[in-house]
Amino acid sequence: MSGPNETINLLWLEDSEDDVFLFSRKLEEAGMDAEILHVETRAEFSDALETVIWDVILADYDLPGFSPFEALKHLKSKELDIPLIILSGAVKAEDAVTLMRNGAKDFVTKDDISRLLPAINREIEDQKIRKEKLEATAELHVRNAQLADTLETLRAAQADALRLQRIRAVSEMGSGVAHDFNNNLMKLSGLLSHITQRKGQGDFLDDHDKTFSAMTHALEEGKSVMKRIARFYDNNPNLEADDVDLNRAIDETVEEVKKQWLANDIHQSVRIVWQSAEPAMALTHEADFQSALMNIITNAAEAMPFGGEVKLSLDPAPDHRYLIKIADTGVGMSTNEFQRCLEPFFSTKGEFSTGLGLGIADALVQQYGGSLSIHSSRNKGSTVSILLRASKDNGKTAKRNPMPGRAEAPSHILIAEDEVFLGKLLSRFLEKEGHQVEVTTSAAEAIEIFDPERHALVISDRSMPGMTGDELALEIKQRSPDTPFLMVTGFGDIMIARGELPEGVDRILAKPVGQKAIAEAASDLLHLPGGESICLDHRAVDENVLSR
């Protein structure tokens, strides 16, 4: 209802000035303060709408030349939300209903003027409510638009931050990888220089075994860096697990770590404490578990520059799991280091580190349904805890079924490798196994040479000029679907981590690869029934290494 000091703007469409005067006096007597404009024609009505914002319109029903229906239509055309009340004499009920359906807010007869003021106040209040709702809706739209702009700005900022984070990560990784590879290359170049200088000297034969062992270890370190990087491309976090004897796996890992430390004359002041526990079979993958464990032990040793102790323990845990703990007496981690220690590429060892030790260990454990946690305090050491699911077959170790196939015999193999030296080296490896080998440096030439009746296996690099190994595999399979195709490539670790197997390729080996690995892969493929593909293989480690 309008307040006592509130003036109402009222437009009155009426052909009788006497009625306007009379009813205006009655409204004033009832307490309504109103500014009233009396109009009679269409033109006056239209002009009035252009000059003033009206609170309410009163209209007679029986007007000469301009009806309330036309007035309502005019309001709609102007999109004006002004309540119109019919104030008239007697009107047929059906006409009143029609007016209401066309937008009139009420119908008051001139004989019942007592209803007029309440009807006016009601419509004014309803109009205010509608106006407030419209304003609130408009404000909500504005705020939603502002919120959308803010969210878009945040998303853009987040994307920029993510890009910067990735750039920093790649930069850190590149620095660390370059450092590690340069170290290994320096070892190799130095050892080769040593061999060259001592060639022909009597004492050269006295230490050549150790020299070649060191060279092989340097290459294995380079391979390890690439495999750890490839792990971060892995999109298959729940791989099928095997039944693994944890005691044996830990025994072997500890012995291998000690052997490496002794061969490289490092961490001699660090003692590893481990004693086999009760039999424990867990669901994981032995090579991956040992790799994770080796990374954790190495990290622990590097946290004890002045010596210390790494203690391993194995115990049953709730929910049919086993708990492996690796505790060290090292320098521990700060709060920031502890919060970031599992991030890819984060390292506490300065800018010249790949930072892939604990991060890759965590990934290796998780992908078989396990979990890894860390407790660390500055100057109080660190403890890494690994939880693995217990085996379901009561200790029966899973074994692979032998692969059905043809009787073993030397075969004719075609190799496509654009690096001449690598092609010759692969050929030499396979010839030592009794195979006959043809080598070409291009995929196009391999297609010309290929004879399904003669060549039992095709081996190819992936990245070659003119035609890729992927394209060559498709072409070979189109000509001879039963001929197995082995891809040996420097992209192998990343392809395997991504689960990428190009069409036509039966198996992938990641460079560097040695004689044992290439011989076993060739043997597997040559013994397959025609057209059957086998799994990817990137775990083959050999003492005779082929590098790309």
Side-chain angles (χ1 to χ4, degrees), residues 38 40 92 122 183 234 251 253 313 348 352-353 402 473 499 505 541:
H38 170 219
E40 296 185 23
K92 293 180 180 179
R122 183 192 68 237
N183 274 353
D234 197 346
D251 282 339
T253 304
S313 62
T348 61
F352 300 115
S353 173
V505 176
V541 178

Side-chain angles (χ1 to χ4, degrees), residues 78-99:
K78 296 289 187 179
E79 297 183 350
L80 295 173
D81 181 22
I82 305 174
L84 187 147
I85 299 173
I86 302 298
L87 178 62
S88 185
V91 178
K92 293 180 180 179
E94 56 268 25
D95 291 339
V97 171
T98 303
L99 279 167

Side-chain angles (χ1 to χ4, degrees), residues 132-164:
E132 289 172 357
K133 287 182 178 178
L134 287 173
E135 289 175 348
T137 302
E139 184 178 357
L140 181 61
H141 286 317
V142 170
R143 290 184 178 181
N144 284 341
Q146 292 173 341
L147 180 59
D149 290 341
T150 302
L151 288 174
E152 187 61 33
T153 302
L154 288 174
R155 289 193 187 100
Q158 186 181 33
D160 289 341
L162 183 59
R163 281 193 291 270
L164 289 173

Side-chain angles (χ1 to χ4, degrees), residues 195-210:
I195 292 172
T196 302
Q197 292 172 3
R198 298 172 68 89
K199 186 176 180 181
Q201 299 180 23
D203 60 350
F204 170 71
L205 295 178
D206 295 337
D207 63 355
H208 78 284
D209 286 341
K210 185 175 180 180

Side-chain angles (χ1 to χ4, degrees), residues 111-333:
D111 294 336
D112 189 14
I113 192 63
S114 63
R115 286 191 59 245
L116 182 58
L117 183 57
I120 291 174
N121 286 329
R122 183 192 68 237
E123 293 306 324
I124 289 175
E125 290 301 316
D126 287 350
Q127 184 193 39
K128 286 181 179 179
I129 292 173
R130 290 195 300 273
K131 182 178 180 182
E132 289 172 357
K133 287 182 178 178
L134 287 173
E135 289 175 348
T137 302
E139 184 178 357
L140 181 61
H141 286 317
V142 170
R143 290 184 178 181
N144 284 341
Q146 292 173 341
L147 180 59
D149 290 341
T150 302
L151 288 174
E152 187 61 33
T153 302
L154 288 174
R155 289 193 187 100
Q158 186 181 33
D160 289 341
L162 183 59
R163 281 193 291 270
L164 289 173
Q165 185 179 5
R166 287 174 176 171
I167 290 171
R168 282 197 300 270
V170 170
S171 175
E172 291 172 5
M173 180 189 71
S175 174
V177 170
H179 173 264
D180 287 354
F181 268 111
N182 285 336
N183 274 353
N184 290 323
L185 290 174
M186 183 174 178
K187 292 175 187 177
L188 291 172
S189 62
L191 290 166
L192 287 171
S193 175
H194 171 75
I195 292 172
T196 302
Q197 292 172 3
R198 298 172 68 89
K199 186 176 180 181
Q201 299 180 23
D203 60 350
F204 170 71
L205 295 178
D206 295 337
D207 63 355
H208 78 284
D209 286 341
K210 185 175 180 180
T211 300
F212 285 120
S213 176
M215 292 174 66
T216 299
H217 180 70
L219 287 170
E220 291 300 327
E221 286 181 339
K223 287 171 62 177
S224 176
V225 171
M226 293 310 299
K227 289 184 184 298
R228 282 181 284 163
I229 292 171
R231 283 290 180 183
F232 288 101
Y233 288 91
D234 197 346
N235 58 3
N236 186 12
N238 292 297
L239 300 179
E240 184 176 353
D242 298 329
D243 294 314
V244 174
D245 182 341
L246 292 180
N247 281 285
R248 182 175 58 80
I250 296 173
D251 282 339
E252 292 178 355
T253 304
V254 169
E255 290 305 314
E256 178 62 25
V257 169
K258 290 179 178 178
K259 179 181 175 183
Q260 289 188 13
W261 290 358
L262 182 63
N264 292 277
D265 195 23
I266 57 174
H267 307 315
Q268 298 304 308
S269 58
V270 174
R271 188 165 65 100
I272 301 178
V273 179
W274 157 248
Q275 185 174 0
S276 296
E278 294 295 321
M281 299 295 295
L283 292 170
T284 182
H285 186 282
E286 185 167 352
D288 284 345
F289 170 71
Q290 290 179 318
S291 178
L293 191 59
M294 187 172 294
N295 283 343
I296 295 169
I297 295 173
T298 301
N299 261 42
E302 290 173 348
M304 296 181 287
F306 304 109
E309 179 179 280
V310 181
K311 184 176 181 180
L312 289 81
S313 62
L314 170 62
D315 297 289
D319 301 325
H320 305 288
R321 294 182 295 176
Y322 286 107
L323 174 64
I324 303 98
K325 285 187 176 182
I326 306 96
D328 67 61
T329 58
V331 296
M333 289 182 274

